[in-house]
Amino acid sequence: MPSPVSADRPAAQPPGRGSVEALITQARRLKGDVDAVRRDTRSDGSDPEERWQRALCDLALHQLDDLDTHLAQLRDGPPPAPAESPVPPAGRPGPAAPPGGSLLSRVGSAEWNLLTDEATWSGELYEILGLDPDRPALTLDELPSLVLDEDRPKLTAMVTDCLVDARPIDGEFRVVRPDGSARTVHMMGEPVLGADGGTASMWAVLRDVSELRSSQRTVRETRDSLTRHRRQEQTEHRIAAELQEAVLPPWRGSLRLPHQEPVALDLAAHRLPVATATATLIGGDWYEALELSDGQTLLSVGDLTGQGVAVASGMAMLLGAVRGMAMAGTEPGELLTLLNQLLDTAVQPALGSAVCCRYQPETRTLVWAQAGHPAPLLYRDGTGRLLNTSGGVPLGASPGAVYGQSVVTLRPGDVLLLHTDGLVSGHGRTAAVDRLLDLAPRFGAARTAQDCVRTVVEEFGGAGREDDACVLVAKVTA
């Protein structure tokens, strides 16, 4: 059991005024630094992490405000009574609380004399509880009338423990003021023993912590919101990754198409995920190499803008349409025209880009079309060039758009490179093309398409890339 407080205990010596001033200066400097951080955080509520940071700053500012106030009270001591006013009698308030709801009004004191049943309150306590300072202070029996019903047992237990078992009081309860507003009050107190060893009175300091508790609730709510948001992102990432894995071509490593033709394409492809540390969602990039029913080969890469499950689902829809129309014999230009119509009529508006090619092995002819996408690159005899663009707006950008076609004849040993924009994100279009064309000597020395893909990954697969990417390499066999 804690030792009871003696009524005649010696007063503690206050700390030096200079040391308190130094603490006040440090607290105010820290408060300014926290406030600067708070101003730098967005207040539109669009980002859960920003809301979390702002709530923490609000909480810290409340606590630093209180620290500043208490240090000032410690430095200045209790305010003197006005010279023209007599000291108020027991049961009447002391000096009036500062106007305007200042921080000083958030801490009050009280003493209840059990022998005379008198109560003495400071003016600040009247301010906290919203009571008329001209009315008598409430006794311990009357105090619960201000407390919310569900908190009365807590207050009763604290007071009983203090009076009966001489235990210090340290707890909170909520009060309803006469104007109907609710406040949260933190009460700290101790019993004061009389000459006979019995409890003669009880004193307490009561602090209005409503704003502090409100800030703490905001912190908890924003923390929970941020946790839910992160869990949702993780779930979306997993679903999008599984969906992308399910719809991209099942083959890994090298592929030779058409299977039965002596003049064929040696194929290899790779998907490069986002390489930044903060990446959480998956984009809508795809690649495809497919042997068609007429012996030709479909080559395609594309990208649906955005990230997440909806984009991965839209990418799956587009890739399925590409495969179906190509198997039906649709030429690249007409295929992109139909894809554009498909996006235009989709429930969720979307933009995309793509390049589609059909390769005829007997004549080594490549027919291709593009829709807002980088054109294929052709590497021959140790040099590279960009194929003449066939034009075409992005998919979903213009209803009724028509896409033209281009034709090029390939030779044995030629290397064809198709890629999505994310491969060289952060660079201008010309600089991106130049970087890719600089790979020509290494492609010329490569024996297989897989070797070429490894070269691309070595050059562009490092940290810092801000978007997903797909690369598809086709090497014409002799």
Side-chain angles (χ1 to χ4, degrees):
M1 178 184 303
S3 301
V5 179
S6 173
D8 57 355
R9 62 184 177 184
Q13 294 297 318
R17 184 182 181 92
S19 61
V20 176
E21 285 285 0
L23 289 174
I24 291 174
T25 300
Q26 293 177 19
R28 291 176 179 175
R29 183 184 300 115
L30 180 58
K31 186 167 61 175
D33 293 340
V34 174
D35 190 48
V37 174
R38 179 183 179 276
R39 289 196 302 269
D40 288 340
T41 60
R42 294 182 300 181
S43 58
D44 59 2
S46 61
D47 180 47
E49 188 155 1
E50 292 283 353
R51 294 198 301 269
W52 165 250
Q53 293 173 352
R54 190 175 182 86
L56 283 177
C57 288
D58 288 339
L59 177 58
L61 286 173
H62 278 305
Q63 294 172 325
L64 289 170
D65 280 341
D66 287 345
L67 177 61
D68 189 8
T69 299
H70 298 156
L71 288 172
Q73 290 176 323
L74 182 62
R75 176 195 61 193
D76 300 335
E84 67 274 14
S85 301
V87 177
R92 308 300 292 173
S102 72
L103 292 172
L104 294 178
S105 68
R106 293 202 296 214
V107 180
S109 61
E111 183 170 356
W112 290 275
N113 190 312
L114 304 182
L115 303 180
T116 63
D117 201 29
E118 292 179 321
T120 304
W121 285 8
S122 69
E124 291 83 5
L125 184 53
Y126 281 90
E127 180 89 6
I128 291 172
L129 300 180
L131 299 179
D132 182 357
D134 291 329
R135 64 174 291 179
L138 299 183
T139 66
L140 284 177
D141 291 334
E142 296 170 330
L143 183 61
S145 65
L146 298 177
V147 180
L148 287 177
D149 292 343
E150 54 265 39
D151 288 357
R152 286 178 186 172
K154 183 190 305 183
L155 175 62
T156 300
M158 289 191 300
V159 172
T160 300
D161 288 344
C162 180
L163 299 182
V164 176
D165 297 329
R167 294 180 181 175
I169 289 177
D170 188 351
E172 293 182 7
F173 52 87
R174 291 165 295 170
V175 299
V176 179
R177 303 200 294 191
D179 62 4
S181 62
R183 308 298 293 176
T184 301
V185 177
H186 181 236
M187 184 176 185
M188 296 183 65
E190 293 182 344
V192 179
L193 302 183
D196 60 355
T199 302
S201 64
M202 187 186 82
W203 66 268
V205 173
L206 294 94
R207 178 185 177 206
D208 185 349
V209 294
S210 303
E211 284 76 15
L212 179 61
R213 297 297 172 255
S214 176
S215 296
Q216 290 173 330
R217 284 194 300 271
T218 301
V219 168
R220 288 194 301 269
E221 291 168 359
T222 52
R223 178 188 60 206
D224 293 343
S225 174
L226 180 59
T227 299
R228 290 192 299 270
H229 180 76
R230 286 175 173 168
R231 287 176 179 170
Q232 181 180 357
E233 282 189 341
Q234 292 170 354
T235 300
E236 287 195 4
H237 182 276
R238 175 179 54 80
I239 294 174
E242 291 175 355
L243 182 57
Q244 190 178 63
E245 184 70 17
V247 300
L248 287 179
W251 50 274
R252 297 292 184 269
S254 297
L255 178 70
R256 182 184 175 90
L257 293 177
H259 294 293
Q260 304 302 324
E261 294 293 333
V263 180
L265 295 177
D266 174 28
L267 299 163
H270 189 77
R271 185 183 70 84
L272 292 83
V274 178
T276 58
T278 57
T280 56
L281 296 178
I282 288 180
D285 295 64
W286 83 78
Y287 65 88
E288 179 61 290
L290 182 66
E291 183 175 0
L292 305 177
S293 56
D294 58 3
Q296 298 188 44
T297 298
L298 166 72
L299 302 177
S300 178
V301 295
D303 181 16
L304 194 63
T305 58
Q307 292 180 323
V309 175
V311 172
S313 178
M315 178 270 289
M317 175 191 69
L318 287 183
L319 185 53
V322 168
R323 290 165 174 165
M325 288 187 286
M327 291 297 294
T330 308
E331 291 293 317
E334 179 64 15
L335 190 152
L336 293 180
T337 299
L338 295 174
L339 281 185
N340 183 67
Q341 294 176 10
L342 181 62
L343 276 186
D344 186 51
T345 57
V347 176
Q348 294 291 337
L351 290 174
S353 67
V355 58
C356 288
C357 311
R358 286 178 72 98
Y359 177 69
Q360 171 57 257
E362 289 85 357
T363 61
R364 298 194 182 95
T365 300
L366 184 78
V367 180
W368 66 280
Q370 66 182 135
H373 200 86
L377 282 76
L378 178 62
Y379 299 84
R380 177 179 293 170
D381 298 331
T383 60
R385 67 182 177 90
L386 186 70
L387 292 185
N388 294 329
T389 177
S390 63
V393 298
L395 299 172
S398 177
V402 176
Y403 298 88
Q405 298 183 159
S406 298
V407 181
V408 63
T409 300
L410 303 181
R411 300 177 185 173
D414 283 355
V415 173
L416 191 69
L417 173 65
L418 283 67
H419 68 92
T420 57
D421 272 331
L423 183 65
V424 285
S425 59
H427 299 79
R429 181 60 58 89
T430 301
V433 171
D434 289 342
R435 284 194 65 192
L436 288 168
L437 293 179
D438 287 342
L439 300 178
R442 298 173 65 181
F443 281 4
R447 294 181 303 155
T448 66
Q450 186 66 44
D451 292 338
C452 295
V453 167
R454 291 194 186 98
T455 297
V456 174
V457 173
E458 288 173 4
E459 290 295 322
F460 300 96
R465 196 182 54 264
E466 300 176 353
D467 198 2
D468 288 351
C470 287
V471 58
L472 174 63
V473 172
K475 183 176 178 67
V476 182
T477 62

